[in-house]
């Protein structure tokens, strides 16, 4: 779902990986469709590798996005420009056990900004997340039968 979608430090928005070379990568802005080279010295984060701290470990960003989508029936999330208290309250509905000491308002804003951008561009596909949940539920039943 989030494969090839990148966040680049110092750049606004999200980018799609287009090509790789020895010393840099070529990315395309999801907002402007403009292509730019990103050098190996830049801090690049793949959205598929990002997780949110919770009281019981970390949860992948794609699971957080699925929770937002479920809460909003596939629609957009709260505006990332909302007040800090509104953002925290909303995020608490999405991830009730998020670690309030390690997840900052700036992180929450990014989650909603990224979700809304991907939702608007129709790049959110939760079939992989749903398949994993079905497998987990199936494994739970199998484990109970084996006991």
């Amino acid at each position: 779902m989030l494969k090839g979608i990148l966040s680049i430090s110092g750049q606004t928005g999200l980018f799609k990986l287009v090509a790789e070379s020895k010393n840099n990568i070529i990315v395309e802005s999801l907002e402007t469709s403009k292509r730019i080279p990103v050098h190996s010295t830049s801090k690049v984060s793949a959205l598929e590798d990002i997780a949110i701290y919770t009281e019981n470990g970390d949860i992948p960003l794609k699971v957080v996005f699925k929770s937002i989508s479920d809460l909003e029936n596939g629609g957009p999330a709260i505006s990332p420009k909302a007040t800090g208290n509104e953002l925290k309250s909303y995020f608490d509905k999405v991830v009730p056990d998020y670690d309030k000491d390690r997840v900052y308002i700036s992180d929450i804003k990014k989650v909603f900004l990224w979700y809304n951008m991907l939702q608007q561009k129709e790049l959110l596909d939760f079939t992989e997340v749903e398949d994993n949940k079905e497998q987990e539920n199936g494994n739970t039943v199998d484990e109970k039968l084996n006991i």
Side-chain angles (χ1 to χ4, degrees):
M1 173 183 91
L2 299 177
K3 191 166 183 68
I5 306 294
L6 309 172
S7 171
I8 302 168
S9 183
Q11 300 284 336
T12 57
L14 293 174
F15 298 85
K16 180 172 56 173
L17 178 64
V18 176
E20 295 181 55
S21 71
K22 201 181 247 186
N23 298 325
N24 64 17
I25 58 175
I26 305 297
V27 297
E28 181 178 295
S29 169
L30 293 182
E31 290 180 273
T32 64
S33 298
K34 187 176 174 183
R35 292 184 177 190
I36 60 169
V38 178
H39 301 283
S40 57
T41 57
S42 299
K43 184 176 183 213
V44 178
S45 300
L47 263 56
E48 66 184 336
D49 296 335
I50 295 174
I52 300 296
Y53 296 118
T54 68
E55 300 296 336
N56 303 314
D58 300 343
I59 61 170
L61 189 58
K62 64 184 173 186
V63 175
V64 175
F65 285 171
K66 173 75 170 107
S67 295
I68 296 170
S69 179
D70 290 347
L71 183 67
E72 295 298 338
N73 296 318
I78 189 174
S79 169
K81 295 179 181 179
T83 68
N85 288 337
E86 290 173 326
L87 292 171
K88 284 181 184 178
S89 174
Y90 187 92
F91 199 70
D92 201 37
K93 293 177 190 171
V94 175
V95 186
D97 64 338
Y98 81 95
D99 188 332
K100 289 156 183 65
D101 294 329
R102 297 196 297 172
V103 178
Y104 303 107
I105 289 291
S106 59
D107 301 325
I108 293 172
K109 283 182 180 183
K110 281 183 193 173
V111 168
F112 294 137
L113 179 72
W114 293 343
Y115 172 85
N116 285 339
M117 184 180 298
L118 293 170
Q119 189 270 339
Q120 181 184 9
K121 298 285 183 183
E122 298 180 358
L123 294 173
L124 294 172
D125 176 14
F126 298 111
T127 52
E128 179 185 318
V129 175
E130 290 166 0
D131 290 345
N132 288 344
K133 281 186 179 177
E134 286 176 18
Q135 287 176 353
E136 286 173 13
N137 291 341
N139 289 343
T140 305
V141 171
D142 292 341
E143 288 169 11
K144 286 180 182 175
L145 293 174
N146 290 334
I147 292 178

